Amino acid sequence: MSTDSGRAGWDIRTTGPHDAARRALLLPGALCTAEFYADVMAEPAPADAGLSLVAVTLPGHGRSPAPEDLSIGNYARLMGRLAADTGCDLVVGHSLGANIAIEMAALGEFSGPLVLLSPVFSRGDEARELALLDRLAHVPVLGTAAWTVALRTLPRNVRDSLPPGRRDTLASIMGDNDPAFCRAALREYFDHLDEHGSLVNRLCASGARAVVVRGTADDIGLTDGERHDIGTCPTLTLVTVPRAGHGVLFEQPRRVAEIIVAAADGIG
């Protein structure tokens, strides 16, 4: 695995054949970094299939340099340019990264297939704790203070949901985020969900081929209407992964790697 930090301070990690004919851009979720894809990137299936994987920390997360514009649309444009510059013809996104991938397709920033790991299609699907932090974010001073407390307690709260042997590393990464950035970014995220209602229709209207991946124990909701709309959209496929929750990428990395390879096999 190689690391490239030369793109405006971004953390970009690449694994797989240097002369790969196909490349996948991997976008992590909120508060996470490229490190969260390490288990998937260590799986042999992508390299065996001649697929190179490019994981990037979303700017601003993990205390990386943040863009001035924290809107989902701007992140979609930034990631669209990165996909083009790195020759990626497949985008994989987890949680917030999946929502950015959806917007990449909706804005025409990326025209290839998508693998969406535990996307959040609407405000009602999101965890109640985040919705509460969003309400607090609109209160001067209190919003940043609430995020400071939340990040301080986060490593202890999420530790048991992380893979043994990697718990301390991943929990520490999640807790080491800038509270002011988190407050501002979360407001943009929920504003985006509120603007579009449900992102399923926006995704379907983009015409992108997308695999929506959900663990059977995912605590992020999916309404009956959203499930119906996914099932009736000809370009969307819903895949359920047993024994996985919201962290399907590190809970079932082998299965996720297989899904990525299958999506890449359909290119062309």
Side-chain angles (χ1 to χ4, degrees), residues 29-92:
L31 309 182
C32 302
T33 67
E35 178 64 24
F36 278 70
Y37 275 106
D39 298 296
V40 172
M41 298 176 84
E43 289 291 330
D48 290 346
L51 178 65
S52 179
L53 303 179
V54 181
V56 58
T57 297
L58 297 173
H61 297 264
R63 294 194 180 271
S64 60
E68 291 186 10
D69 183 353
L70 300 180
S71 68
I72 299 299
N74 187 53
Y75 273 106
R77 287 185 285 272
L78 291 173
M79 294 303 111
R81 288 197 291 271
L82 179 62
D85 291 346
T86 54
C88 290
D89 38 24
L90 170 70
V91 171
V92 181

Side-chain angles (χ1 to χ4, degrees), residues 64-137:
S64 60
E68 291 186 10
D69 183 353
L70 300 180
S71 68
I72 299 299
N74 187 53
Y75 273 106
R77 287 185 285 272
L78 291 173
M79 294 303 111
R81 288 197 291 271
L82 179 62
D85 291 346
T86 54
C88 290
D89 38 24
L90 170 70
V91 171
V92 181
H94 172 241
S95 194
L96 174 64
N99 284 43
I100 291 171
I102 292 171
E103 193 63 10
M104 289 168 68
L107 294 180
E109 296 290 337
F110 183 77
S111 59
L114 311 175
V115 174
L116 307 174
L117 308 173
S118 304
V120 181
F121 290 116
S122 59
R123 175 185 278 267
D125 294 340
E126 188 53 273
R128 293 179 180 176
E129 294 83 359
L130 274 186
L132 174 60
L133 281 170
D134 176 55
R135 289 196 293 272
L136 294 175

